[in-house]
Amino acid sequence: MGHYRIFRRLVAVIAACLLASCSAGVADADFRVIPLPSRIEQSGEGYFTPDSHTQIVFPDGSDRIHRSAELLADRFAQVCGLKLEVVPSSRATAPLRITLAADLPSVGEEGYVIEVSQSAVSLRSSGDEGVFRAVQTLCKSLPSAGGVRFAIGRIEDAPHYAYRGVMLDVARTFYPVEFLRKTIDMMALHQLNRLHLHLTDDQGWRLEIRKYPLLAQKGGFREENGRRVGGFYTREQMCELVAYAAERYVEIIPEIDMPGHLTAALAAYPELGCRGTGYSVSATSGVHKEVLCVGNDRAVAFMKNVLEEVISIFPSRFIHIGGDEVPRERWSQCPRCQHKIRTHGLKADASHSSEQRLQGLFNEEMRRFVSQHGRQVIGWDEMLESGVDPSVDIMAWRGVGKGFRALREGHHVVMSPCNRFYLDYYQSENVATEPKAVGGFINAETVYTTMFDTRELTAEQASRIRGVQGNLWTTFVPDPRHAEYMLLPRVTALSEMAWTKPGQRDYADFLKRMPRMQQQLEAMGWSVPSRFYTVEAHFEPNPGQGTVEVTLSTSVPADIYYTLDGTTPDSGSMHYEKSIALTDDTRLCAVACTPEGIRSDFLHKSVQFNKATLRPVSLLTAPHSRYGGNRLSDGVRATTIFSRGGWTGYFDRDMVAVVDLGTTMPVSRAGVSTLVDHGSHIMDLEQLEIEVSSDGRHFERVAHEEFPRKEFIQEKLLPLHLLDFPTVEARYVRFTVRRQKELPPRVSVFGERQPFVFVDEVYVY
């Protein structure tokens, strides 16, 4: 009960912060909370108005429902100033009652019904978890302060997905237990029910394993910029956290990543690796080629012993064993691994190498071991590539297509596509002013509007989607404050996407309900950045008028305000009503605001004019199909978030493009702007060649430069390559951008991909 008292005190803090005055009058309870219930019916025929004599009634002998009743009483006391008595059903005497009962098996494990009459509010479900969900909804329906009345009616609710999760990577960044508790409380408020802890990786081992103490004592720390950083959770700490989460109906799923991402373990016990020596806990990101020696029976037994201790700590149904991003170079060179391949007759075929088959053998051995202990394995979608039993659940992170493949192959799936649910991506395109992130762009709207088009699947296959999960990887998230910023408001959007039926979800309506949820979150000590939606800008070159036409829009009803000099707009700035014609260098900044006061993210765009701007550009070599938009002369600078467009990308060939200036004119400088993002396999150009012509047929080279290859860097860059040459008269300018032919070693660990080159704009002066 100790942990629950802490939770009750936290609820008291929330309510106290919301309470302005107990004399604020009587307000109507509003069940349009987040996540939105399935059905809300109110008759308009009267109200239930609790008073100081009202009792909260729970079933005799049910300690768990008793705790939910106490939680509800705390909320009423702090918000409404009503100290309601909590009593078992055998002692209920009051004429006005709020009754909690687990006597409705038809609604499912988490479903519930709330019925309001003039004399009672009943919260009913099939068990204590559903009652807890009903209590959460009732608590969130209360006004911010003062008395409350409940309209007579009925609320029916049940989750769309059974699995509604958040993954927190505590391996790359170690977070204190207090922050994990805070995260669990936040999840409970959102009706989320799975906390996936990524406990081990190349950068740290975070869980005490008593049989192998060096895993945490040595593998839990690394040298970073001359400092020793890290930490680990003791067995006792994690057992206490599991109990704390269980009281809030959040199940903690542990992940012990294997057979890759194990450098921290190899540093502690080097005999587990194929080389057997020379390992250290990594301070760098990326995929590391040092992996478990799966040909070594002692190494395999070691991992089983680790899992046995993990199972003894975590009562969760699922045990996550990773299985992702496993380079197999060491196995191909390891005598023990090759011996195991021969012993088991593992053969390569058109789709699999013998080393992939070896990983499949290891996966199966771990699956059987976990199954013998009454648990079920879940792993990342790479496990599909090495062969895996259909009883293994798949967590699909490399796109919805990987999830659909798993469903076709008989697996249950948790959808976690990186382009929709990765919470380490930027929430804003304004990366210069945002906390550091891995890249990409995902805001709350992206998360909320995610839909899985299952028409290509059978009904039975589609039914095996267990649910969804948002993942916060923490390579660039060094402390809890940064983590909080990355989680919200995207977790709030995820909660409704996961709980509420698709046909009932509406993002504009969600934003109307967000201020009350934001108030509750801030009372819990969370900050909620304004990253709910964006102002979208569409730039259309108009060569005939010599302008770039800008159209601004939002996905929800909102007023848009803008400036053209880079200053921050507000309600006193120009109000957007029609497209804007730009004729000169411009720094466009825009912001929108809904009638409820929900502000958009700020839009910042730079438009730069040169002699090539608005002129036609012919691509003489075809770009990659995914990055084929020819916006090379629109004047708009793209950002490092290449998924937002504006880039022309080449993968297996160089770029050759010709710009027609329209008439012969003097030129003395030309070049291109590019993107460097090694983590996304995008490298800078290797060579740039500039040629000019008066007729478009005969070209003369006027400038050429080679650029040295850069070693791996984590930073994303936007280089501008301009070459000067003696002034010449020309109408046509040809740009040849030669790409790098291979990735730096840190990136090309799989040896499977060559780099892209991305070009944004061509310039002529």
Side-chain angles (χ1 to χ4, degrees):
M1 293 289 287
H3 290 319
Y4 202 74
R5 284 194 293 270
I6 295 173
F7 188 47
R8 289 175 58 192
R9 287 198 297 270
L10 178 60
V11 171
V13 170
I14 298 171
C17 292
L18 295 175
L19 180 59
S21 168
C22 289
S23 60
V26 176
D28 290 342
D30 184 357
F31 285 102
R32 293 183 56 76
V33 299
I34 296 174
L36 184 67
S38 302
R39 187 174 184 180
I40 302 172
E41 294 180 344
Q42 293 175 327
S43 67
E45 297 177 354
Y47 296 90
F48 170 85
T49 305
D51 59 26
S52 59
H53 302 293
T54 301
Q55 291 178 328
I56 299 178
V57 182
F58 66 92
D60 288 79
S62 177
D63 291 339
R64 293 176 73 85
I65 296 182
H66 184 188
R67 286 198 296 267
S68 293
E70 294 286 358
L71 170 65
L72 185 57
D74 287 343
R75 188 61 183 271
F76 268 101
Q78 298 299 329
V79 172
C80 305
L82 294 175
K83 296 184 178 180
L84 306 185
E85 184 183 14
V86 177
V87 299
S89 55
S90 60
R91 290 176 42 210
T93 58
L96 296 179
R97 303 178 187 181
I98 301 175
T99 304
L100 283 57
D103 61 354
L104 200 63
S106 61
V107 298
E109 188 174 338
E110 293 187 281
Y112 62 86
V113 171
I114 300 175
E115 291 184 292
V116 182
S117 68
Q118 287 187 328
S119 60
V121 176
S122 67
L123 288 72
R124 303 173 65 200
S125 182
S126 63
D128 51 272
E129 183 170 2
V131 171
F132 178 82
R133 303 294 175 206
V135 166
Q136 287 286 345
T137 295
L138 192 68
C139 285
K140 286 183 285 190
S141 77
L142 298 178
S144 60
V148 63
R149 64 181 187 177
F150 298 86
I152 291 175
R154 178 183 175 94
I155 292 85
E156 298 177 0
D157 201 11
H160 179 54
Y161 288 122
Y163 186 114
R164 306 176 304 282
V166 171
M167 189 281 293
L168 187 60
D169 170 18
V170 296
R172 291 177 177 85
T173 297
F174 175 73
Y175 297 112
V177 172
E178 292 74 21
F179 177 66
L180 302 187
R181 291 197 188 104
K182 184 178 181 181
T183 300
I184 290 166
D185 290 334
M186 180 269 290
M187 292 177 64
L189 183 72
H190 286 89
Q191 308 283 38
L192 297 167
N193 63 356
R194 300 289 192 280
L195 175 59
H196 167 188
L197 290 181
H198 184 76
L199 291 164
T200 67
D201 215 296
D202 299 300
Q203 295 77 19
W205 185 286
R206 303 300 178 208
L207 181 65
E208 176 191 26
I209 301 296
R210 288 179 175 172
K211 190 176 182 68
Y212 305 115
L214 293 182
L215 283 173
Q217 294 171 9
K218 188 172 182 179
F221 299 87
R222 65 178 182 262
E223 292 296 321
E224 191 173 279
N225 299 323
R227 297 184 304 115
R228 186 172 184 259
V229 300
F232 63 89
Y233 307 109
T234 66
R235 180 186 179 93
E236 289 75 15
Q237 284 178 316
M238 201 50 69
C239 286
E240 290 175 1
L241 189 72
V242 166
Y244 186 91
E247 289 180 347
R248 290 142 185 83
Y249 298 89
V250 174
E251 181 180 77
I252 297 180
I253 297 174
E255 180 184 355
I256 307 297
D257 208 344
M258 62 180 79
H261 288 292
L262 270 176
T263 306
L266 302 184
Y269 294 94
E271 64 273 18
L272 300 176
C274 293
R275 290 193 301 143
T277 186
Y279 309 112
S280 61
V281 182
S282 178
T284 59
S285 61
V287 179
H288 296 51
K289 63 183 176 183
E290 303 300 344
V291 298
L292 185 75
C293 181
V294 295
N296 182 349
D297 291 341
R298 290 186 178 181
V300 174
F302 183 102
M303 297 312 298
K304 289 180 179 178
N305 291 335
V306 168
L307 287 178
E308 190 165 32
E309 282 203 38
V310 169
I311 288 169
S312 72
I313 297 170
F314 298 91
S316 57
R317 173 182 177 181
F318 295 106
I319 303 295
H320 204 304
I321 66 168
D324 60 310
E325 297 178 329
V326 183
R328 304 178 184 92
E329 176 184 338
R330 295 298 187 204
W331 295 349
S332 66
Q333 302 166 352
C334 173
R336 284 180 294 194
C337 291
Q338 291 302 308
H339 175 73
K340 193 165 189 175
I341 286 172
R342 292 191 297 272
T343 300
H344 289 269
L346 304 178
K347 304 292 185 182
D349 58 26
S351 303
H352 304 86
S353 67
S354 56
E355 286 76 23
Q356 280 180 300
R357 297 292 189 192
L358 182 61
Q359 184 179 348
L361 182 68
F362 174 81
N363 291 343
E364 176 59 17
E365 197 162 354
M366 294 300 108
R367 184 200 67 80
R368 287 199 304 267
F369 180 81
V370 170
S371 180
Q372 289 165 4
H373 286 74
R375 308 298 182 83
Q376 188 172 346
V377 162
I378 187 170
W380 301 108
D381 59 53
E382 286 95 331
M383 294 183 76
L384 296 169
E385 297 168 1
S386 55
V388 62
D389 190 89
S391 67
V392 172
D393 271 36
I394 297 299
M395 194 165 277
W397 74 274
R398 293 181 299 168
V400 173
K402 298 294 183 183
F404 284 6
R405 173 186 168 183
L407 292 168
R408 292 191 188 95
E409 294 180 10
H411 300 270
H412 284 79
V413 172
V414 175
M415 289 292 194
S416 191
C418 60
N419 63 333
R420 308 297 296 192
F421 295 156
Y422 265 32
L423 308 181
D424 56 331
Y425 283 28
Y426 284 107
Q427 299 195 68
S428 168
E429 288 189 85
N430 305 317
V431 297
T433 57
E434 282 290 288
K436 193 170 184 179
V438 70
F441 172 77
I442 296 174
N443 65 2
E445 184 174 11
T446 307
V447 175
Y448 189 95
T449 55
T450 298
M451 299 283 284
F452 306 124
D453 185 354
T454 59
R455 287 175 295 181
E456 64 185 79
L457 304 173
T458 67
E460 189 277 331
Q461 289 168 345
S463 71
R464 284 188 269 104
I465 300 177
R466 286 200 194 276
V468 296
Q469 180 172 285
N471 296 336
L472 179 56
W473 301 101
T474 60
T475 299
F476 303 112
V477 188
D479 53 59
R481 184 177 180 181
H482 192 163
E484 291 181 17
Y485 184 93
M486 304 304 281
L487 288 167
L488 295 178
R490 291 181 288 194
V491 164
T492 307
L494 179 74
S495 73
E496 185 151 302
M497 182 270 164
W499 180 279
T500 304
K501 304 296 187 292
Q504 293 179 275
R505 298 200 298 259
D506 178 85
Y507 193 65
D509 181 68
F510 170 81
L511 290 183
K512 292 177 182 178
R513 292 176 279 116
M514 189 64 210
R516 189 152 52 111
M517 187 67 161
Q518 186 168 347
Q519 191 177 35
Q520 293 166 349
L521 286 164
E522 289 172 350
M524 293 174 69
W526 291 80
S527 60
V528 185
S530 295
R531 299 293 181 264
F532 297 103
Y533 64 104
T534 60
V535 177
E536 298 290 344
H538 177 70
F539 296 86
E540 188 63 38
N542 187 343
Q545 298 296 320
T547 63
V548 175
E549 304 288 334
V550 187
T551 303
L552 303 179
S553 63
T554 60
S555 61
V556 298
D559 287 313
I560 302 174
Y561 302 91
Y562 69 95
T563 63
L564 299 176
D565 59 1
T567 57
T568 301
D570 56 29
S571 58
S573 302
M574 290 181 285
H575 183 259
Y576 177 78
E577 296 177 352
K578 63 180 181 178
S579 63
I580 309 162
L582 304 181
T583 59
D584 205 348
D585 290 0
T586 302
R587 291 182 297 152
L588 170 67
C589 187
V591 69
C593 190
T594 69
E596 295 75 32
I598 298 292
R599 179 177 64 79
S600 74
D601 189 15
F602 284 96
L603 169 77
H604 293 277
K605 288 291 184 180
S606 293
V607 179
Q608 297 174 328
F609 285 75
N610 65 84
K611 292 180 178 180
T613 304
L614 306 180
R615 305 311 309 168
V617 179
S618 301
L619 296 177
L620 305 187
T621 54
H624 190 279
S625 59
R626 288 175 59 188
Y627 309 107
N630 182 354
R631 309 287 294 186
L632 293 172
S633 64
D634 64 0
V636 184
R637 288 302 308 269
T639 71
T640 57
I641 305 175
F642 61 87
S643 61
R644 296 289 284 169
W647 292 100
T648 302
Y650 285 80
F651 176 61
D652 57 356
R653 65 198 69 180
D654 300 329
M655 185 189 94
V656 182
V658 176
V659 59
D660 179 359
L661 302 179
T663 186
T664 300
M665 63 182 66
V667 296
S668 60
R669 171 183 285 186
V672 297
S673 51
T674 59
L675 171 64
V676 176
D677 182 353
H678 286 178
S680 300
H681 296 191
I682 302 168
M683 294 188 68
D684 203 1
L685 50 76
E686 182 177 74
Q687 296 179 24
L688 174 60
E689 182 177 278
I690 306 297
E691 300 169 283
V692 298
S693 171
S694 296
D695 58 10
R697 297 189 302 273
H698 304 92
F699 283 85
E700 175 187 359
R701 189 169 83 172
V702 293
H704 172 268
E705 187 169 337
E706 296 186 4
F707 300 89
R709 176 184 171 188
K710 292 183 175 68
E711 295 304 314
F712 177 81
I713 55 174
Q714 288 187 340
E715 291 75 20
K716 298 168 178 58
L717 307 175
L718 295 170
L720 176 59
H721 302 288
L722 295 176
L723 305 186
D724 292 311
F725 46 87
T727 301
V728 295
E729 295 289 324
R731 173 175 174 175
Y732 301 92
V733 181
R734 184 161 67 191
F735 301 81
T736 300
V737 176
R738 303 197 189 280
R739 59 192 177 81
Q740 301 277 356
K741 300 304 187 292
E742 61 180 9
L743 294 162
R746 278 273 312 280
V747 180
S748 58
V749 66
F750 289 104
E752 295 173 350
R753 291 182 60 187
Q754 51 189 331
F756 283 89
V757 64
F758 274 32
V759 179
D760 169 20
E761 289 287 303
V762 295
Y763 300 86
V764 178
Y765 297 96

